[in-house]
Amino acid sequence: MRGLRPQLEGACIVSAEARRRDLRFPLPDGFAGRLQGRVVLSLTRRAKYILIRLDDGWTWLSHLGMTGCFRIDTGPYSSDSPHTPEQRHDHLILGTDRQVRLVYNDVRRFGFMDLIPPNGEGENRHLAALGPEPLGDGFTAAYLARALAARRTSIKAALLDQRLVAGLGNIYVSEILWRTGITPRRDTATVGPIRCRRLVAAVRAVLEDAIAAGGSSLRDFRHANGDLGYFQHHWNAYGRAGEACTRPDCDGRIRRIVQSGRTSYYCPRHQR
DNA sequence: CTCGTCCCCTGGGAGC
DNA sequence: TGCTCCCAGGGGACGA
């Protein structure tokens, strides 16, 4: 979103072509046509969604899924070659009035897009039930303690649930739990005020470190300009099954388990 | 309601 | 080299 913003805010979408009718879900009716001619007012983020506000009052909502990626292509373009070299899995191609093209590429097509009518963001089916932002003021130890007390599940599943806190994914939950010394299997009922304080601090620390490193490039993640992220080199737990725990004075070995269909990595020695 | 399971899809890597 | 199997950052639809 930060990579797209300087290129798109204030730009007019002069051409729009959707190469398929659906990604994870069907695109809205007449999607490309409804983008064409619009001026982009602003880009913001909520949870894992990018919200692109348009000059007709509608909001273009985008979720990248697992492999979705917005790419900014800069020219030069010529009259015989108005399109940049096409890449496999380019699904949406937008031309702007700034010699810049916006291309949405998504190998697995788990990403999706929606158009939200004016003043309709609060009731949009994707946004309505989202919990607080993990880096916002609403995500406090007191909030977390109350939210966890109302559930019967593992702390891993709870932190991944976007209704509890919106924006944590599988990699970062493993890292957060490693950092707090809490096993992903721990029942939410046994996570009290002290652990909640540590969790809130760890959520902020891990996310801020990851953002500073430009995110995690596992296979597909790229910035809008094609750059890779580097946070994967900082992982302490995720993807390190069998390796020695990197915490000082811990002689544990990272273990991989599956919880509700997702992998968790943790150190059974210092995560309890 | 609230859980866990399965599934959407493609491609990369491991193992044979 | 080529086949098969397993696995992957997310989250919605189900059924229990």
Side-chain angles (χ1 to χ4, degrees):
Chain A
M1 196 275 294
R2 291 180 181 177
L4 299 175
R5 179 185 273 159
Q7 303 283 1
L8 293 183
E9 278 185 354
C12 181
I13 299 167
V14 295
S15 65
E17 179 192 1
R19 316 284 308 278
R20 322 178 42 95
R21 305 187 59 177
D22 50 59
L23 297 169
R24 170 75 198 265
F25 306 114
L27 292 170
D29 286 339
F31 181 62
R34 291 162 72 181
L35 296 181
Q36 193 163 347
R38 300 277 57 79
V39 173
V40 173
L41 299 183
S42 67
L43 277 80
T44 56
R45 181 195 59 75
R46 170 78 173 108
K48 299 175 186 172
Y49 295 89
I50 300 174
L51 288 83
I52 303 169
R53 304 224 165 70
L54 306 172
D55 66 343
D56 58 359
W58 287 66
T59 298
W60 169 17
L61 180 79
S62 170
H63 191 297
L64 302 176
M66 303 259 268
T67 55
C69 176
F70 278 107
R71 183 174 87 237
I72 294 286
D73 280 348
T74 53
Y77 307 107
S78 67
S79 51
D80 15 306
S81 156
H83 290 273
T84 47
E86 189 177 318
Q87 296 185 17
R88 202 158 154 75
H89 309 299
D90 281 353
H91 304 308
L92 180 68
I93 302 169
L94 303 184
T96 73
D97 58 350
R98 292 182 174 178
Q99 286 303 309
V100 155
R101 251 168 233 286
L102 177 67
V103 181
Y104 179 74
N105 183 284
D106 192 345
V107 172
R108 294 175 71 184
R109 303 202 303 275
F110 286 176
F112 48 93
M113 301 192 183
D114 202 1
L115 284 173
I116 306 175
N119 307 312
E121 285 177 16
E123 57 204 62
N124 178 265
R125 64 177 177 133
H126 297 114
L127 302 179
L130 290 173
E133 286 289 323
L135 295 178
D137 294 340
F139 185 60
T140 63
Y143 164 81
L144 183 59
R146 244 180 300 123
L148 292 180
R151 287 163 189 254
R152 290 255 114 209
T153 188
S154 66
I155 186 64
K156 165 71 189 298
L159 292 177
L160 264 187
D161 186 338
Q162 304 295 297
R163 294 168 299 183
L164 189 143
V165 55
L168 302 183
N170 205 35
I171 294 175
Y172 297 127
V173 169
S174 272
E175 294 303 309
I176 288 159
L177 292 173
W178 181 90
R179 193 170 172 123
T180 48
I182 299 173
T183 172
R185 324 167 83 119
R186 176 172 283 275
D187 194 293
T188 50
T190 69
V191 180
I194 294 173
R195 287 193 175 93
C196 283
R197 264 197 294 281
R198 287 214 299 267
L199 276 169
V200 168
V203 164
R204 292 179 190 280
V206 168
L207 291 183
E208 283 167 4
D209 287 354
I211 291 166
S216 299
S217 292
L218 182 49
R219 291 175 184 75
D220 309 281
F221 172 73
R222 300 237 167 204
H223 290 268
N225 61 5
D227 285 355
L228 297 167
Y230 289 96
F231 190 69
Q232 63 275 19
H233 303 301
H234 301 259
W235 293 343
N236 288 295
Y238 188 86
R240 304 188 66 152
E243 294 181 31
C245 181
T246 53
R247 166 170 290 220
D249 304 326
C250 180
D251 59 356
R253 201 160 278 285
I254 302 298
R255 178 184 297 175
R256 174 190 188 276
I257 61 171
V258 176
Q259 293 176 288
S260 32
R262 311 296 298 280
T263 51
S264 298
Y265 295 88
Y266 72 109
C267 170
R269 182 78 181 194
H270 85 266
Q271 290 180 251
R272 298 298 178 134

